[in-house]
Amino acid sequence: VSATQSGVAQIAFHFGRPVITTDVGGLAEIVPDGKAGLVVPPEDPPALANALVRFIDENLADDLAAGVRREREAYSWDRLFEAIEELATSS
């Protein structure tokens, strides 16, 4: 129903794990649907159940984990350092 950015998705990405989540808060921005996880509408238990079944039946773990490896670069320490360095040198 709601979400705060506690970092759970980023922690999962750090360990190379895809995320199945509902489209609340900023989670869908972090977890691209079908690329690094699955995103379902909030307050829709059948959709969540279907996503879990799809994950298993379609054997999506490896494909989504590959997407996680690509996505997690956006949240790396190197990217943070580059952004801070750019900000510091642009003023």
Side-chain angles (χ1 to χ4, degrees):
V1 177
S2 68
T4 60
Q5 292 308 323
S6 65
V8 171
Q10 288 92 342
I11 292 169
F13 281 11
H14 171 78
F15 289 103
R17 300 292 186 236
V19 175
I20 299 174
T21 186
T22 55
D23 188 3
V24 296
L27 289 170
E29 295 171 16
I30 295 168
V31 183
D33 187 38
K35 294 180 181 176
L38 301 174
V39 180
V40 300
E43 299 188 61
D44 189 344
L48 181 57
N50 288 336
L52 292 166
V53 170
R54 179 178 167 217
F55 181 83
I56 294 167
D57 284 352
E58 295 180 23
N59 197 23
L60 296 176
D62 290 340
D63 289 340
L64 294 177
V68 165
R69 287 189 293 278
R70 288 187 297 274
E71 289 296 320
R72 74 178 173 195
E73 290 304 313
Y75 307 103
S76 72
W77 285 111
D78 290 338
R79 291 286 308 261
L80 177 62
F81 175 78
E82 290 167 7
I84 292 171
E85 185 176 49
E86 183 179 318
L87 181 62
T89 59
S90 67
S91 42

